[in-house]
Amino acid sequence: GVDVDKPQAASARALDKNSIILAITTKGQVVYGGKEIGIGGVRALVRRLTQQDDTPVIIQADQAAPAGLLVRVIDEAKLG
């Protein structure tokens, strides 16, 4: 996978294995399943993987990742 240095949250808990986990790296890469999908791949991926059931989307952003990119990924995931 991709190493992401995530800020710690007090409410952090074990991630559900039945989730869509996207990662944002310090270099601004958007990664799913170890492959870079870019911002343009987020909406289609989420739409395809949530067709059957309401699967949660988890975004793991490196603390040094661009904040604007995080907002764009969130928006794209919501539109998916």
Side-chain angles (χ1 to χ4, degrees):
V2 175
D3 289 331
V4 176
D5 184 16
K6 302 180 300 287
Q8 297 299 312
S11 62
R13 58 181 177 93
L15 298 177
D16 186 354
K17 289 186 178 185
N18 296 325
S19 300
I20 301 167
I21 301 176
L22 302 173
I24 304 173
T25 69
T26 56
K27 296 179 183 176
Q29 298 170 305
V30 181
V31 179
Y32 171 75
K35 296 181 182 176
E36 184 175 1
I37 62 167
I39 188 70
V42 173
R43 189 184 309 190
L45 174 79
V46 171
R47 183 174 291 142
R48 182 171 50 86
L49 296 178
T50 59
Q51 278 182 342
Q52 300 300 327
D53 46 2
D54 199 17
T55 307
V57 177
I58 298 170
I59 302 170
Q60 297 179 332
D62 189 285
Q63 61 186 357
L69 180 59
L70 173 59
V71 171
R72 290 179 58 203
V73 170
I74 292 169
D75 286 344
E76 289 295 312
K78 286 181 178 180
L79 292 171

